[in-house]
């Protein structure tokens, strides 16, 4: 009886630390968006020069929503995780490592999207997202293995659904990386689409969660 | 009975994440304030050179209080929101997107306030604040629709008052954007005035909240 | 009975937001410490070039402990504040404004401490600390006025002691600003000494607090 | 009875502030990783230029995991600390000072790892880690002295184990600093290895903690 609140506080502090990291990454992304050159602004006007930087805004927005969706999923995952152990802290730390790096590939794709280096830039961008998806998968698999760290009330149907949706995500991020060989713009469009897809609430999972909540 | 605390924890984690984002944005604004050029300091003295940068300080202070007021309002809103769903998380994420962008139009208005590009700079600055006000409106409307996510104790008179004050804000930000066509300085003064207006406590709402609190 | 926890949660969220701002300011200070010029490093060696930047380290450390002490005092203040109202949020917001600006005068004093502009630089640095001390005083006075926002258990002897120590601080920061006219290094030494003075626990206050805690 | 929750809230706010600082440091490290020069990218290709910066990535990753491990250990320490006093806040503040500085030696080692200044750069990097380990040791010793700030339930066997592992860490960081005289790469390898060593869960401590938890 005394153990339960203690371990719950444990997972809460991991959540709080992770929330901090997600919140900071999401907020720092804008600092890769630089003002246009003063000389160019004088020549062409401010609005025209800002409009030219649309690749930077696109990369910024795409990364913002990628990290936001990562946070929403991390958040959902921790609503069913009830216990923490050292391995969970390390795998979570690995995921946070992946997330803190995101501003770097973002600045690469922002700088080289309209450049001959486009293919390499999109490869690094989507390749990193694929690695982050793998890190998320590792965290999930470790926690989910035999319901290791879940509360007993978690319906196995939920974990099956979540597992399936994460697997699909992993395959699609890999597809985005591979399609970059043929068409970098399509590759980028896929990874932006994936953020949208994962942001949309999965009705089935929500229903299952509500049900198991009521019966808990 | 078991559901209530669970969903309350849910909104608390959204609040914590949002608080993190607001706190970081508010703190990072100062990093757009750069030191004056060493050569100019040697020629004219440090204080004289710093004084020349008053547009930067004005833009910094205006944005600080805009984001602070956004936080206070976000905070007030979540004191009456009692449940979270996925759409709330997304609309909240959209608002946070708007807030994290604020340092960028701030640096634009700081750089071009005394420049021929003044009108365009103020347009971007106030235009973005108008967009953020719309994002806030969306979040509010979604939560308020049929008291969807509110606790049952919320007095309809409160929600009517809040809705009215948000509508006024939206119209006034739009007015600020339009007035920029005639006079950029007046436009900027309006948007600074709005931050002050929204910071001042609405006596009627506070009274109503205290009443409903006591009767809850 | 229902009101107490609600308002307590209110002050807790203000504390959390403020903690975030303090934590970010304290962490960002290091980003004003720049690497030495590569050419100078090649000529003179890395350690020699780093040693030349001692004014930057001094300014960094002084500001770090100034903000840390501000946080400790803010923290202490909120252990006796039990209710929040809108004015408290605004005065707290004003204090946070003062705190987020700190990296800017820090970079000024770091850049101009060994320069003919030394006096102006120290004036801005200590002048800003004096303004922040005034903001803290405003927050304190508002909350302390007739024990407005304190829990009833707070011993008046504690508030008298705190008030006295804050008044002393204010006078000494003003003294530091004035002494800059005669000797900038002495002025700087005083403001560094003040951070140390406020960091040291006030035995009398602690004793009084422990007593009132036990009798609460 | 009334005191316990009060002081527990006290340690929780210190933890929250510290978590914020750790989370921000860990997230800001990536901002030392700069894009390669556009001219070099045009000449050699993006991937080739990025690959050349491997020392930057190594320094970034090593510092990330150093700070993460510091956070995990800080976290573990505070699970057994039950009371806070002013000295604890100051010693904790000193540790946070050490942690916020980490991005600076990281950027030094990233810039000079393949340079004639390699030895000095690794000395600063590992030397700083050694100082941070001393700060951690001070915090630990103060809290552990006669179980000063621990809950009574803490098994002395746990504190003995933790103390031993911290002492080993301190000696090994010192060894890393000294070995830099002979071989900077070996010195760097040791400090990276130490982060791994401290990340791995200490089975004995975990077992003891679980036992004392159950009997608490």
């Amino acid at each position: 009886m005394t153990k339960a609140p203690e371990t719950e506080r444990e997972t809460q502090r991991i959540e709080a630390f992770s929330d901090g990291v997600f919140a900071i990454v999401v907020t720092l992304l804008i600092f890769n968006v630089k003002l246009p050159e003063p000389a160019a602004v004088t020549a062409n006007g401010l609005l025209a020069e800002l409009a030219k930087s649309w690749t930077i805004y696109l990369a910024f927005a795409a990364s913002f929503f990628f990290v936001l969706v990562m946070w929403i999923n991390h958040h959902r995952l921790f609503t069913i995780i009830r216990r923490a152990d050292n391995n969970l802290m390390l795998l979570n730390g690995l995921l946070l490592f992946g997330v803190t790096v995101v501003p770097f590939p973002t600045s690469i794709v922002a700088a080289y999207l309209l450049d001959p280096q486009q293919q390499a830039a999109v490869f690094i961008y989507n390749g990193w997202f694929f690695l982050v998806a793998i890190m998320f998968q590792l965290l999930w698999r470790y926690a989910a293995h035999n319901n290791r760290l879940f509360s007993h009330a978690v319906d196995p149907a939920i974990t099956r659904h979540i597992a399936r949706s994460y697997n699909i995500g992993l395959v699609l991020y890999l597809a985005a990386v591979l399609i970059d060989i043929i068409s970098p713009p399509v590759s980028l469009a896929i990874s932006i689409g994936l953020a949208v897809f994962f942001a949309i609430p999965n009705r089935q999972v929500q229903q299952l969660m509500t049900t198991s909540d009521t019966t808990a």
Side-chain angles (χ1 to χ4, degrees), chain A:
Chain A
M1 217 71 173
T2 42
K3 269 183 81 181
E6 184 60 37
T7 53
E8 203 140 304
R9 221 189 105 211
E10 190 86 356
T11 63
Q12 275 170 28
R13 209 181 155 194
I14 298 176
E15 283 180 71
F17 181 73
S18 307
D19 281 3
V21 170
F22 282 106
I24 300 156
V25 171
V26 126
T27 315
L28 286 172
L29 286 168
I30 195 69
F31 284 81
N32 286 319
V33 181
K34 304 285 181 211
L35 286 184
E37 287 300 311
V41 169
T42 308
N44 308 321
L46 181 59
L47 294 178
E49 275 307 303
L50 287 171
K52 275 188 197 164
S53 306
W54 65 270
T55 59
I56 298 181
Y57 313 140
L58 181 72
F60 163 72
S63 293
F64 182 96
F65 286 100
F66 176 80
V67 177
L68 185 74
V69 163
M70 273 289 155
W71 175 73
I72 293 178
N73 277 290
H74 187 269
H75 175 74
R76 272 188 207 147
L77 181 54
F78 272 82
T79 56
I80 57 174
I81 290 182
R82 280 290 174 269
R83 271 169 304 139
D85 63 17
N86 206 83
N87 292 326
L88 186 80
M89 282 172 97
L90 282 179
L91 289 172
N92 191 57
L94 190 66
L95 175 64
L96 296 180
F97 176 80
V99 170
T100 64
V101 168
V102 165
F104 186 61
T106 304
S107 66
I108 289 174
V109 89
Y112 292 100
L113 189 56
L114 300 180
D115 189 274
Q117 301 294 329
Q118 186 193 54
Q119 193 164 52
V122 172
F123 172 74
I124 289 161
Y125 190 70
N126 282 342
W128 191 258
F129 282 4
F130 176 59
L131 285 180
V132 174
I134 288 177
M135 292 165 187
F136 201 92
Q137 183 84 216
L138 288 175
L139 180 67
W140 159 257
R141 291 214 171 174
Y142 178 74
H145 186 70
N146 295 332
N147 274 14
R148 199 182 334 227
L149 304 174
F150 294 161
S151 79
H152 297 298
V154 174
D155 185 339
I158 294 179
T159 58
R160 269 199 307 275
H161 266 93
I162 295 179
R164 192 156 47 194
S165 105
Y166 287 171
N167 286 337
I168 293 170
L170 205 60
V171 169
L172 289 174
Y173 275 114
L174 181 59
V177 175
L178 294 175
I179 284 165
D180 182 45
I181 301 166
I182 309 164
S183 165
V186 172
S187 169
L188 193 62
I190 290 176
S191 86
I192 293 172
L194 274 170
V196 176
F197 168 80
F198 276 105
I200 292 170
N202 189 326
R203 194 172 295 273
Q204 250 178 313
V205 170
Q206 280 216 325
Q207 219 165 7
L208 284 162
M209 278 182 152
T210 317
T211 324
S212 85
D213 243 25
T214 330
T215 58

